[in-house]
Structure formats: structure tokens, C-alpha cells
Amino acid sequence: MAQSLCKIYLHIIFHTKTTSPDVLAEHLPRLHQYVAQLVKTTGAHTISVGGTQNHVHALVFLSSTETVAHLVEEMKRNSSRWIKTLSPRYEKFAWQAGYAAFSVSQSLVDRTISYIQGQEEHHKTQTFRDEYLQFLQLYKIEYDERYVLSD
């Protein structure tokens, strides 16, 4: 083949450290926009970014040259630096070291977008921890309970 073609959708989730201040609701739209821009700088494409005061969900598709680890590193590292410029409140802001990335089929892209955009409503009835564990179980990912969401 003369071309390298791929369309790999990923649902990426990451969480703040337990010692980190939550992001104020007034700053969430800007944070989500900033994360979306960071995705673009890697050559990947942003489809949707959302979340709540303590975690981010992003639906992206990778370029043919990008890796998941590098993409997430850029999203987390640069958004953490940026948010610290908004207010002294965020002086100790940090994301947890880990992340989750799940493949999404083309047929579930619209449903995933709706899910990401409905995070505020979703978390009125389910904690982030329960949501995260549900994803791990759905994707049959083995994990050590001692380290789930630990700093």
C-alpha cells in the first residue's frame, strides 16, 4: 500500500490526584477546550472532551504516527501546567499518574459523545470510582484493587 491509513477511536479517561484541588465549574469549559487543542498538537483529532471537576473524558482518533502513551502524556502534562496559570488555587494541581484508554467502534461514536457530554448529569447518580470500575469490568481489564485511582 502506498498510504498508511487508520481510524482508531479511543475513549481516554484520567483523574486528578487525591491531594489536588478540584477544577471549579467555571473553569471546566476552558479546560476541556484546552485539552482538545492539546490533542490536535499531537496530530490526533479531538471528537469530544468533557468530564467533571475531578476527571476528564476525551474521545479522539489517533493519527497513523501517534501513540496512546504520548498523546495522554501531552494532554495531562500541558493541561496541568496551564491550569496552574488560572489561579493560585491550582498551585498544587496534578493529574494522577495513570489513565485508561478504551477502543470505541465506529458504531458507538455518537453514543460515546453523548456519554462524555452528559458527565455532569451522569455523576449525580454514580461516583467516578464506580464509573471507572464499570469500564474496567466492561472491557475485561485485570486490575489490582489496591491501585485503582491511587496517587
Side-chain angles (χ1 to χ4, degrees):
M1 292 187 89
Q3 294 178 308
S4 297
L5 302 172
C6 69
K7 195 163 192 181
I8 301 170
Y9 289 99
L10 293 175
H11 181 179
I12 298 168
I13 306 169
F14 51 92
H15 191 276
T16 57
K17 281 190 171 187
T18 56
T19 58
S20 181
D22 283 350
V23 178
L24 295 175
E26 66 193 61
H27 294 143
L28 281 176
R30 288 180 61 199
L31 172 63
H32 297 155
Q33 289 172 344
Y34 193 76
V35 169
Q37 290 301 315
L38 292 171
V39 170
K40 289 180 186 176
T41 67
T42 69
H45 299 277
T46 304
I47 298 167
S48 184
V49 177
T52 66
Q53 288 84 357
N54 64 8
H55 70 282
V56 168
H57 288 258
L59 179 62
V60 305
F61 66 85
L62 293 177
S63 71
S64 61
T65 59
E66 185 57 88
T67 66
V68 177
H70 180 255
L71 171 63
V72 176
E73 176 187 6
E74 291 299 303
M75 293 166 69
K76 289 170 59 178
R77 181 180 50 158
N78 291 318
S79 64
S80 179
R81 286 181 184 161
W82 173 80
I83 202 161
K84 290 175 183 176
T85 68
L86 296 182
S87 165
R89 164 189 174 72
Y90 300 120
E91 180 181 12
K92 297 188 187 236
F93 182 87
W95 299 110
Q96 288 182 329
Y99 65 90
F102 305 103
S103 60
V104 175
S105 69
Q106 180 72 50
S107 63
L108 294 176
V109 166
D110 289 341
R111 187 168 153 190
T112 305
I113 292 168
S114 295
Y115 181 81
I116 290 171
Q117 295 306 310
Q119 281 293 292
E120 186 177 323
E121 192 64 30
H122 173 74
H123 285 291
K124 288 180 180 177
T125 60
Q126 185 178 40
T127 67
F128 174 73
R129 180 181 180 79
D130 289 345
E131 172 190 50
Y132 189 71
L133 291 174
Q134 194 171 35
F135 272 107
L136 296 179
Q137 292 163 2
L138 177 67
Y139 281 85
K140 298 183 183 344
I141 295 175
E142 292 182 26
Y143 60 93
D144 188 330
E145 184 75 33
R146 296 174 297 172
Y147 301 111
V148 171
L149 301 178
S150 66
D151 292 341

